[in-house]
Amino acid sequence: MSVDLSKLNPPQREAASHTGGPLLVLAGAGSGKTRVIIYRIAHLLSIGIPPRAICAVTFTNKAAEEMRERIAQLLKDKAVARELTIGTFHALGLQILRTERQALGYPGGFAIYDQSDQMGALREAMRGVHNMSRDGERRFDAKALMTRISLAKNAFVAPDSYIPKNEADDYDAMTVEVYPKYQEMLRACAAFDFDDLIVEPVRLFERNADVGRKWAERFHYVMVDEFQDTNQAQLRMVQALVKNHGNLCVVGDDDQSIYSWRGADPTNILRFAEMFAGAKIVKLEQNYRSTKTVLAAANAVIANNTKRHGKTLWTQSGDGEIITHAVASTAEIEAQWVAREIRKVQKEGRRWSDFAILYRSNMQSKLLEEELRAAEVPYVMYGGQQFFERKEVKDLIAYLRVALNPRDELGLRRVLNYPARGIGATTVERLVTTAHAKHQTLWDALAVAENITGPAKNGILGFVHAVTRLRDSLDNGHDVVEAARALIEDIALYDDLRAAAGSMAAAQRRIDNVEGLLGALKRHSEKGKGRDALAQYLRQLSLDTTDEKETGGEKVVLTTLHGAKGLEFPVCFMIGLEEELLPHARTLQPQVSDVVDADHATDISEERRLCYVGITRAQRKLYLTRACTRVSRGRSVPRTPSRFLLEIPDELLEVRDLGEEARQVVPTNEVGDFFAKLALED
DNA sequence: AACTTGTCAATTTTT
DNA sequence: TTGACAAGTT
């Protein structure tokens, strides 16, 4: 088998064919980095490396799927593509933990806690720690604490070695107390959170030399995509996997590092050559996406950052259209003009899906949505959490989880009184206290609830009965879907969904969600039988966010700058290019609960990179818009142009003053209100 | 267990 | 000005 590397440009080819030792590929936006990884894998296979010995790691499931698909396409061989290890860091970590569950001390398996499970565990851990909610003392924001714990884990800091950086920082002091409690809580529930999926394999490798050796021999070539987004723990994991041979190829762009606030450490890419001696560095600077004008703007902005490898994107394509810098008097007018401009350009022959509107923070989408609706422009919003829409699915999963693993106290508490069966908070507290005092699990306490008197008794008996029946059914090798249906009957789940929903349609949607889960379970149970297979599937499920972004639709895309990374559009609007929005106020004036230190500097260079990411999304035409005035917290506030806007050379820009033209068509307040009310009524 | 009232804050998010 | 969240009422 051979690969035709002549389809690559010289640096791409160099990267794809380098096989001896560490390699850093600095891939500028739109420079064809996925192509390089794919050809590199094909090349490795062609020189006789077995597919099982090749591993490619990504950050998202989407990227992993896309990669596997494109390799299958290039090789015209699905079987080989299937043998490659391609997956997210978390999926790889899970695979390791699962394989080694014996050595880990969880022979019976373990659960994976997602964000909401995590918050539940944390709130539980926070309870009982003094100085909160008592004595008029300040209360702690659980989310801010979770961030600190997560950052500590990502930085590979164990619960007992967390050292407060700053004595005056209450959140640091609180983290010292809560982090160990939180970790104990997970341990008691036989659960790992997402961060553990990275950290725990590494700890295991260090603790157990045999296991460490085994995994160091597993892969002969390892590739990491989006390397600028890796954290300390992920780096350690990769180091452990390649320590025998150093055949590590990392691909990334230091100029697109926009996730340091959640633990990503840009040092990993900046100091790669120091950490991996003899590393070869290849820069991909030829851009296949944008016009000269767009790239000139991007290059000009990013050039103001220090601490970077330094790249200058270039292209063989033409100058293209000038960048429009539109200045509106108010944010309403800005949004309205964007909506109308899109309508206008669409009429000239663009598809709706050719447009994207990019903004710094989600709240900026509100005005846009109103104006787009008014102008009858179809749109989709990327991102946005839909946790609660999936609540019913998570509830059913929790039942299954508890049936498989009664130690999972958090899952147990989630469904103990769902659907409501008269087991109130007081009862739960009493049960938990008694159980823990006797060194029992909560489930043990429930199982002997004959001793319990009072109104909760019947509820507990009913719950224990339902779960026991589910477990027996699973243990006896019954069909998973059958068992789940019996449970749904037992607990009258659909009746509860119908009662709780506001409308028939809403109820049906939720029931359909549950049926969707049953469908997925059915499809899965054909592949693997038994409780072990089910447990494995449930763990996998928590890693699948399955955010079905409707990509197919003919719609304008609305997304944050973060959400836009990796995407491209013929026409891009970046809105709100104002100080305190981009760069965001919070980076200019950090809050008490913010983590501000040398490692996670909330400096404006990351905001500048965000701006760079936004600009480089545009293929043909870029619009940069801002308002002179914006209503914030009920008050109209004057705005100043973003410093990044001023970094773009004037000759690349055409300024449009929207003050006059927009003012003429804006309805007066009364008329506006009238139409707003009309819109609300349907 | 469903409502009401008060308080506080106001980025970015994948797994 | 909104919205989320927690504590207090019915």
Side-chain angles (χ1 to χ4, degrees), chain A residues 362-378:
Chain A
N362 283 312
M363 103 202 162
Q364 289 173 264
S365 70
K366 204 177 157 232
L367 277 179
L368 278 172
E369 286 187 89
E370 285 168 20
E371 297 298 343
L372 290 170
R373 237 171 308 172
E376 298 186 291
V377 172

Side-chain angles (χ1 to χ4, degrees), chain A residues 99-113:
Chain A
T99 312
E100 308 301 340
R101 60 192 187 280
Q102 210 69 40
L104 260 177
Y106 287 119
F110 48 86
I112 290 175
Y113 279 6

Side-chain angles (χ1 to χ4, degrees), chain A residues 58-316:
Chain A
T58 64
F59 272 86
T60 65
N61 291 312
K62 189 176 154 229
E65 277 161 34
E66 187 193 323
M67 200 175 283
R68 196 186 292 278
E69 221 163 87
R70 284 179 62 177
I71 289 170
Q73 229 165 52
L74 177 66
L75 298 175
K76 298 189 181 66
D77 188 341
K78 279 200 175 144
V80 170
R82 227 171 301 147
E83 282 182 78
L84 297 162
T85 299
I86 301 178
T88 62
F89 269 105
H90 294 86
L92 179 60
L94 173 59
Q95 191 196 324
I96 295 168
L97 292 178
R98 201 184 108 68
T99 312
E100 308 301 340
R101 60 192 187 280
Q102 210 69 40
L104 260 177
Y106 287 119
F110 48 86
I112 290 175
Y113 279 6
D114 73 5
Q115 196 158 14
S116 57
D117 300 324
Q118 243 180 91
M119 288 307 290
L122 179 68
R123 278 183 224 278
E124 196 50 38
M126 281 168 74
R127 202 175 299 208
V129 174
H130 63 274
N131 85 11
M132 54 167 300
S133 77
R134 285 263 163 268
D135 313 324
E137 283 303 307
R138 55 142 359 128
R139 297 204 325 267
F140 290 87
D141 174 6
K143 262 181 49 207
L145 279 170
M146 194 69 246
T147 304
R148 299 211 174 210
I149 293 174
S150 181
L151 285 175
K153 286 193 180 190
N154 292 164
F156 217 77
V157 175
D160 54 4
S161 39
Y162 186 89
I163 294 160
K165 290 228 167 68
N166 178 355
E167 287 298 329
D169 186 334
D170 297 350
Y171 274 86
D172 255 5
M174 190 65 180
T175 307
V176 174
E177 301 206 43
V178 174
Y179 180 14
K181 283 202 159 42
Y182 168 77
Q183 205 58 36
E184 271 166 40
M185 181 91 206
L186 291 188
R187 170 115 214 141
C189 294
F192 290 122
D193 66 17
F194 284 147
D195 299 323
D196 289 335
L197 294 179
I198 313 295
V199 172
E200 291 303 324
V202 181
R203 290 205 196 290
L204 179 63
F205 294 161
E206 290 175 359
R207 196 163 63 226
N208 187 325
D210 286 341
V211 174
R213 203 173 306 119
K214 178 175 138 195
W215 284 92
E217 287 165 4
R218 174 76 164 74
F219 304 112
H220 301 170
Y221 285 89
V222 174
M223 269 146 276
V224 182
D225 192 16
E226 304 281 16
F227 193 66
Q228 76 282 353
D229 290 339
T230 51
N231 58 41
Q232 279 310 306
Q234 286 159 338
L235 176 71
R236 300 267 294 247
M237 182 162 159
V238 170
Q239 275 171 327
L241 293 176
V242 303
K243 69 174 181 189
N244 289 347
H245 46 69
N247 286 328
L248 171 65
C249 166
V250 305
V251 184
D253 183 356
D254 48 319
D255 292 333
Q256 293 187 70
S257 155
I258 54 175
Y259 284 110
S260 71
W261 52 273
R262 64 177 203 210
D265 187 351
T267 338
N268 288 353
I269 195 166
L270 290 171
R271 309 262 283 269
F272 182 80
E274 292 162 47
M275 293 185 293
F276 294 87
K280 182 182 179 67
I281 301 182
V282 175
K283 287 186 188 179
L284 306 181
E285 296 174 290
Q286 181 173 3
N287 174 292
Y288 296 94
R289 177 186 295 159
S290 310
T291 64
K292 279 199 174 69
T293 304
V294 167
L295 293 184
N299 284 331
V301 168
I302 202 68
N304 292 286
N305 271 3
T306 50
K307 281 200 204 163
R308 58 186 212 112
H309 279 291
K311 283 183 274 72
T312 307
L313 297 179
W314 61 276
T315 178
Q316 285 175 346

Side-chain angles (χ1 to χ4, degrees), chain A residues 222-457:
Chain A
V222 174
M223 269 146 276
V224 182
D225 192 16
E226 304 281 16
F227 193 66
Q228 76 282 353
D229 290 339
T230 51
N231 58 41
Q232 279 310 306
Q234 286 159 338
L235 176 71
R236 300 267 294 247
M237 182 162 159
V238 170
Q239 275 171 327
L241 293 176
V242 303
K243 69 174 181 189
N244 289 347
H245 46 69
N247 286 328
L248 171 65
C249 166
V250 305
V251 184
D253 183 356
D254 48 319
D255 292 333
Q256 293 187 70
S257 155
I258 54 175
Y259 284 110
S260 71
W261 52 273
R262 64 177 203 210
D265 187 351
T267 338
N268 288 353
I269 195 166
L270 290 171
R271 309 262 283 269
F272 182 80
E274 292 162 47
M275 293 185 293
F276 294 87
K280 182 182 179 67
I281 301 182
V282 175
K283 287 186 188 179
L284 306 181
E285 296 174 290
Q286 181 173 3
N287 174 292
Y288 296 94
R289 177 186 295 159
S290 310
T291 64
K292 279 199 174 69
T293 304
V294 167
L295 293 184
N299 284 331
V301 168
I302 202 68
N304 292 286
N305 271 3
T306 50
K307 281 200 204 163
R308 58 186 212 112
H309 279 291
K311 283 183 274 72
T312 307
L313 297 179
W314 61 276
T315 178
Q316 285 175 346
S317 75
D319 284 345
E321 287 184 61
I322 196 160
I323 298 168
T324 297
H325 169 193
V327 184
S329 50
T330 69
E332 285 77 11
I333 290 172
E334 178 190 35
Q336 188 176 65
W337 182 79
V338 168
R340 292 181 179 184
E341 183 71 10
I342 289 178
R343 245 194 113 76
K344 193 181 110 198
V345 179
Q346 188 268 149
K347 284 218 177 81
E348 290 164 8
R350 285 269 179 215
R351 296 141 53 108
W352 294 121
S353 56
D354 286 345
F355 300 90
I357 310 175
L358 315 177
Y359 38 81
R360 173 69 234 263
S361 86
N362 283 312
M363 103 202 162
Q364 289 173 264
S365 70
K366 204 177 157 232
L367 277 179
L368 278 172
E369 286 187 89
E370 285 168 20
E371 297 298 343
L372 290 170
R373 237 171 308 172
E376 298 186 291
V377 172
Y379 66 88
V380 254
M381 256 180 80
Y382 281 11
Q385 279 119 318
Q386 59 275 70
F387 283 135
F388 291 98
E389 283 159 24
R390 298 195 311 158
K391 179 188 174 295
E392 57 280 0
V393 174
K394 289 201 63 180
D395 288 331
L396 182 52
I397 290 174
Y399 268 104
L400 292 167
R401 239 161 58 175
V402 168
L404 294 172
N405 172 19
R407 280 173 67 191
D408 188 347
E409 187 180 311
L410 223 71
L412 190 56
R413 294 172 68 143
R414 181 186 178 106
V415 290
L416 180 52
N417 195 34
Y418 180 82
R421 44 173 82 85
I423 309 172
T426 330
T427 312
V428 176
E429 276 323 301
R430 205 171 51 227
L431 285 165
V432 170
T433 320
T434 352
H436 289 179
K438 290 193 220 160
H439 297 287
Q440 285 180 324
T441 64
L442 177 56
W443 174 257
D444 295 332
L446 290 171
V448 293
E450 282 82 22
N451 313 331
I452 292 182
T453 50
K457 181 168 181 175

